[in-house]
Amino acid sequence: MRFLPGTHRALGLAAALAAAAVAGPAVAQPVARAPRPAEDSGRAEAEAGAAPLRGSLGVPVAERLLASSDPEARLRGIERLGAIGTEEAVTALLAALDQGGPAARDPRARLAAVRALAPHAQRDSVRQLLSRELSEGGGPARGAASPLGEVLRGTAALALARTGERRALGALVNAIVQGGAAGEAAALAIKAYPPESLQLLLGSRKRLEPALVSFLGELGDLRAIAALRPMLEGGDRTAQVAAARALARLGDEAALAKARAWLSKPEPGLFEAAVEILVYLGAPEAPDAVASLLGSELGRLEGLRLAELAPAERLAPALARALPLLPEDARPRAVAAIGRAGGAEAARQLRRLTLERPELATAAAFALATMPGAEARAAVAELVDGPRAAKDADLRRLGLRAGVVRGLALRDAPGSLEGRLLAALAAPKGSSDRAVGVFGAVALGLRDAREVVGGCSPASCDRAAVHAAARGALARGDRALAALAPLFAELAAPGGAAPGGDDAAPDAAAISAGVALLAEPRGGAVATSRLAALAEAGGPLSPLAARALAARDDEVVRGRLKRLLEGSDPVVRAHVALGLGGDPLPDSVSLLARAYRFEDDPAVRRAIVRGLSRRTEVQRRRVLLAARDLDPDEGVRALARAALSGAGAPALDPPRSALATGVVWIAIVPNDRGAAASASSRAARLVRPDGLAVPVVADPDGVLLVPAVPPGVSSVLLAPAAPPGDAGS
């Protein structure tokens, strides 16, 4: 290329750069450049116009990409315009979305455009587009509903809320008043970015709609009290109730007098509102009011909700009376609420349920196991040692499990528990009694997991003991789990299935021993080819195998990782992302960045951000900034904030404490009595609240106890059939 003097030199260089961008990456060639005088630079910029040179030449290229029939090319065009960021680029992007072309009908393109336009949300035209995306999302108004609809809606809402600008906040408030999915997204966005002045939310409204009043109570901004108090004396009863509830949530006792007056009113809904206000304000008459609500046919479920919200000993009898009158699916909640109420009466009621209501016995035993107090400990001890337990093997196992849970959760197990557990170890191999003894002994540190499983091999193994020991090892931390790694490597190897089983499918004992992968995230001694087969096969072991496979990323397995990262199982996708965080190859950060762009599952996005938090490459920063500022999920935003601050994401390693307190207790009950055998030794995948999947197999009587579970909501997915190699199945 021959360089011409003056302005033409600058334009020639810019054109070369633009051509290189269109053609794709090329090998850089050294170019000698002479220093440019300041006056030449200023003259070139003046002659090029007000817009930067990069912007004036980049916009036409981006517009050509937007006109392409290739969706990926259109995405590149949108991202290019966002990176340019000039007024011309923003106008071009808005035009592409307003013209009803392919980009306007593609949810991925619209999401990319919302992210690109977020820094310009104060512009009227951009704000209007974001408001439209908030109201329409991925819904039928713009074509078929898209899985990205929730992400698109939430991102648009956050982009508006971040501005703190009156008109943007007004659009969000209007969405809250209208309700629905857009209202929920708007409420979450304002909570994420509270306004500097509450007046920006209220605007010039002379009357606050009930939906907005309720939101002010949820927002927790005490500045709202001044606007809400006058509404207590208004003529609109609906507005009065909404204001009183909001004030109660804010802890303002101005609503207390109204609530006490409403207790005697026969109007529908008024009594429930009054009781809720008393509960939120901690009024002394609140327990009695909740008990009255539990005794009413129409308010019983609301009474249960409030009893869960504000436990009190005085509520135990009322909950017990309401129990048979509640819908069947609400009864376990009521049993748990009795346990949280506490006290001697609660312990008595729960003990009665364990003895007289088999369908609620597990829920009652768990409530006793986690309820502090001597009365609850004595009730558990009776289940272990009482005269009924001596005659009823099912009741005795229930008591032993309750005692172990109490030992793990409260460190307050009955004194006789240790001896009973050790005695259960002598029960016949493969029995439920021995499985309970093995689990309790390992979980409480009375026996080592490897000592219990002994010389287990594919040819000869007490699989019920392996299942129980593996779950018990979860309570002892990563050292106990790592001790199971040799057993897992042997059982998971091809040919490691039980006699008569399928070599391609993991043996039941291998599924249980797979908890060793929690302590060995790179897979230990298991061959990479076997990890790949397990990851792609589905089932309880797939997520942890996928995490280990990703940590061994190389040219051979990269294609399989890409397929797993794009697969239909979000739990597997999340674990691939976790594994890529420790991938030795530096370009794996690009896999994570690409996976984040259009991931609709928040749990997977959390895993991606966790993975990125472990990377050091510069490419991670752009994704983390977008996640911190615009991701609709608060968990994702929190993890991204921690990563950008240098703190990193919380570890997902097994707990290192001597005892883990969180325990999940599951009883597998078949819908058809004739299929009772299907619950025996059933494999499952438990996904903890932090997103980590734990492979487990139930005891022969269909019970799962899983310790070391962090606080929060867990999910359980049963395998479609009992694993091969289990005689009990």
Side-chain angles (χ1 to χ4, degrees):
M1 179 184 292
R2 183 168 61 89
F3 290 96
L4 300 177
T7 304
H8 300 288
R9 176 186 303 171
L11 290 176
L13 179 58
L17 291 175
V22 174
V27 179
Q29 300 293 335
V31 178
R33 293 183 181 147
R36 183 174 178 176
E39 57 273 19
D40 287 348
S41 175
R43 184 169 59 252
E45 290 181 6
E47 292 175 5
L53 190 59
R54 174 172 171 246
S56 64
L57 291 175
V59 170
V61 174
E63 289 177 326
R64 287 197 296 274
L65 290 171
L66 278 171
S68 170
S69 60
D70 181 7
E72 292 299 323
R74 294 198 296 268
L75 288 173
R76 290 198 302 273
I78 290 171
E79 290 166 354
R80 179 184 288 256
L81 289 174
I84 294 171
T86 63
E87 183 174 352
E88 182 186 3
V90 172
T91 301
L93 184 48
L94 290 169
L97 295 175
D98 283 335
Q99 290 170 355
R105 297 190 297 270
D106 181 358
R108 297 198 313 161
R110 288 158 53 201
L111 178 57
V114 166
R115 289 170 176 161
L117 291 170
H120 312 282
Q122 291 183 326
R123 290 183 51 171
D124 287 343
S125 53
V126 174
R127 185 179 63 255
Q128 291 168 9
L129 181 137
L130 294 175
S131 300
R132 187 179 69 207
E133 292 294 354
L134 169 63
S135 61
E136 297 179 1
R142 303 291 292 278
S146 165
L148 281 175
E150 184 178 348
V151 182
L152 181 54
R153 212 169 9 245
T155 304
L158 287 166
L160 290 168
R162 283 180 72 226
T163 66
E165 192 262 337
R166 179 179 57 83
R167 287 171 295 182
L169 292 172
L172 294 172
V173 170
N174 289 337
I176 291 173
V177 171
Q178 292 297 321
E184 293 175 6
L188 292 174
I190 295 176
K191 290 175 184 177
Y193 294 103
E196 293 183 359
S197 168
L198 204 61
Q199 195 58 39
L200 293 171
L201 289 181
L202 304 181
S204 58
R205 281 178 163 81
K206 295 181 179 179
R207 174 184 174 274
L208 300 184
E209 296 86 346
L212 178 56
V213 170
S214 298
F215 171 70
L216 292 175
E218 297 170 4
L219 185 60
D221 192 329
L222 297 182
R223 296 174 296 179
I225 292 176
L228 294 173
R229 278 182 176 175
M231 297 180 64
L232 292 176
E233 306 304 326
D236 186 347
R237 180 57 59 82
T238 302
Q240 285 184 21
V241 172
R245 278 180 152 149
L247 287 168
R249 284 178 175 269
L250 294 171
D252 184 68
E253 294 189 353
L256 200 53
K258 281 285 184 185
R260 286 169 173 160
W262 290 339
L263 284 177
S264 59
K265 300 287 185 181
E267 297 181 35
L270 207 56
F271 185 81
E272 289 89 338
V275 177
E276 179 183 326
I277 292 166
L278 294 176
V279 166
Y280 272 109
L281 294 176
E285 64 266 44
D288 292 334
V290 173
S292 298
L293 203 54
L294 285 165
S296 68
E297 183 177 356
L298 296 178
R300 194 166 287 124
L301 284 173
E302 177 66 7
L304 175 58
R305 183 185 73 84
L306 294 175
E308 294 170 323
L309 188 64
E313 285 190 33
R314 288 150 60 189
L315 287 174
L319 285 164
R321 288 192 298 270
L323 185 61
L325 304 174
L326 286 165
E328 186 175 354
D329 59 350
R331 292 172 190 172
R333 289 174 50 200
V335 172
I338 293 173
R340 285 196 288 272
E345 177 62 19
R348 189 181 73 80
Q349 294 290 348
L350 292 172
R351 173 187 169 277
R352 180 181 63 81
L353 290 173
T354 60
L355 299 175
E356 300 176 6
R357 300 288 296 273
E359 76 280 8
L360 295 174
T362 296
F366 186 77
L368 283 171
T370 53
M371 188 175 90
E375 298 92 348
R377 188 195 321 113
V380 173
E382 184 181 356
L383 293 176
V384 174
D385 287 320
R388 291 276 296 271
K391 301 176 183 178
D392 188 338
D394 291 339
L395 185 63
R396 183 174 61 253
R397 286 195 299 272
L398 185 73
L400 288 174
R401 286 172 172 133
V404 174
V405 171
R406 190 171 185 86
L408 291 171
L410 301 178
R411 305 193 183 190
D412 186 29
S416 61
L417 180 66
E418 179 176 336
R420 294 293 184 185
L421 288 173
L422 295 179
L425 284 173
K429 291 184 176 181
S431 66
S432 296
D433 286 341
R434 186 164 191 266
V436 171
V438 168
F439 172 79
V442 173
L444 296 176
L446 307 177
R447 288 290 187 272
D448 180 78
R450 285 291 295 172
E451 174 189 349
V452 173
V453 299
C456 177
S457 68
S460 174
C461 188
D462 180 359
R463 285 172 171 75
V466 174
H467 306 332
R471 285 184 279 108
L474 290 167
R476 307 308 303 176
D478 51 358
R479 183 173 298 180
L481 294 173
L484 294 171
L487 176 64
F488 173 64
E490 180 180 3
L491 295 175
D502 181 1
D503 281 350
D507 182 82
I511 292 175
S512 285
V515 295
L517 291 175
L518 293 168
E520 296 196 352
R522 296 184 61 84
V526 181
T528 299
S529 58
R530 187 56 175 159
L531 286 174
L534 292 173
E536 294 171 343
L541 275 176
S542 290
L544 291 183
R547 182 178 73 156
L549 183 68
R552 298 184 183 182
D553 181 23
D554 59 21
E555 293 181 0
V556 176
V557 303
R558 175 58 68 89
R560 304 177 93 160
L561 289 178
K562 287 182 177 179
R563 288 192 295 272
L564 290 170
L565 200 54
E566 297 170 356
S568 61
D569 188 340
V571 179
V572 172
R573 295 202 303 270
H575 282 69
V576 173
L578 292 173
L580 289 174
D583 186 347
L585 299 182
D587 65 338
S588 62
V589 69
S590 299
L591 284 181
L592 289 170
R594 185 174 182 82
Y596 176 84
R597 295 164 71 206
F598 306 117
E599 175 56 59
D600 58 90
D601 192 295
V604 181
R605 298 201 303 274
R606 289 183 214 126
I608 291 171
V609 172
R610 282 184 184 274
L612 288 171
S613 70
R614 299 177 58 193
R615 310 298 308 190
T616 58
E617 295 85 357
V618 69
Q619 296 97 313
R620 76 177 196 142
R621 183 169 177 80
R622 182 179 177 185
V623 180
L624 290 176
L625 286 171
R628 182 196 67 185
D629 296 338
L630 294 173
D631 195 285
D633 182 71
E634 169 55 28
V636 175
R637 296 198 301 273
L639 289 169
R641 282 194 298 269
L644 289 168
S645 70
L652 291 178
D653 298 328
R656 302 178 187 276
S657 58
L659 292 176
T661 58
V663 185
V664 171
W665 188 338
I666 301 165
I668 303 173
V669 181
N671 294 325
D672 182 359
R673 292 184 179 181
S678 66
S680 177
S681 302
R682 188 71 174 268
R685 178 180 77 189
L686 183 139
V687 181
R688 305 186 328 186
D690 57 8
L692 206 58
V694 183
V696 291
V697 180
D699 288 336
D701 58 357
V703 176
L704 273 167
L705 280 180
V706 186
V709 179
V713 178
S714 299
S715 64
V716 179
L717 178 65
L718 295 178
D726 264 354
S729 64

